[in-house]
Amino acid sequence: TTLVAALGSLVFALYQPSIYKAEALLLPPKSKDIQSLNIHGVQEIAVAPVKIFEDFKKGLSSRILQKKFINEFELMEILAGERTVETRDEEIYENFAEMFKIENVGGGISISIELLDPNDAAQWTNDYVNFMDTETISQIVDQLKNSITNQIRNIEYTIASKRELAQRRRSDQIL
């Protein structure tokens, strides 16, 4: 019985396809890594490494960014290989979200995927991390631009109101 069970498990193991896991371990950025995002002399716009890493982690699980990744890298056909009429795009996006495992590891995070092809697993992991990094930086730069624009408006409003006040004082003195 033991011999039959051992042979059966050996045959089963030999006929199973190999599954390869690609994993990326990411640590939060250091202050010097994000130095270019901090604007000197403007303290309201300081960017902290912790905030950037939190934004990055949120982006990893964002369905909108996952859809954008799938469309940008043209993965829909690969992910929907056995697509039927009943299969909706949302199901494909949900399956994709479940493919990537995101876990907290110490102070950083681990992103992994398991696929039948080791090259595809490594490529998808690298592309996913790079894409999310680019999107996170893009969002932070947009936030900085909006913050700077708002500060400019506030300064212009302050200048305009002080000019108006000075004009009124001059008019009062003339009268």
Side-chain angles (χ1 to χ4, degrees), residues 7 24 52 88 97 131-132 145 166:
L7 287 175
I52 289 178
R88 298 175 308 160
F131 176 81
M132 291 301 170
K145 285 180 183 178

Side-chain angles (χ1 to χ4, degrees), residues 50-101:
V50 174
K51 182 192 179 314
I52 289 178
F53 199 59
E54 287 300 318
D55 289 349
F56 180 78
K57 286 197 278 188
K58 287 178 190 173
L60 288 173
S61 56
S62 167
R63 289 294 169 104
I64 294 170
L65 291 179
Q66 289 173 352
K67 288 178 185 179
K68 188 174 179 182
F69 175 78
I70 290 170
N71 292 329
E72 189 171 305
F73 287 87
E74 300 175 354
L75 300 176
M76 188 59 93
E77 293 301 319
I78 295 169
L79 295 170
E82 299 173 9
R83 190 175 194 171
T84 63
V85 177
E86 294 84 25
T87 307
R88 298 175 308 160
D89 287 349
E90 285 304 315
E91 292 174 13
I92 295 168
Y93 294 136
E94 287 175 18
N95 290 339
F96 176 80
E98 292 171 4
M99 289 173 71
F100 277 98
K101 306 286 187 270

Side-chain angles (χ1 to χ4, degrees), residues 119-137:
N119 294 327
D120 285 346
Q123 187 69 40
W124 284 28
T125 303
N126 290 331
D127 288 346
Y128 193 64
V129 169
N130 290 333
F131 176 81
M132 291 301 170
D133 181 51
T134 303
E135 287 296 316
T136 301
I137 290 172

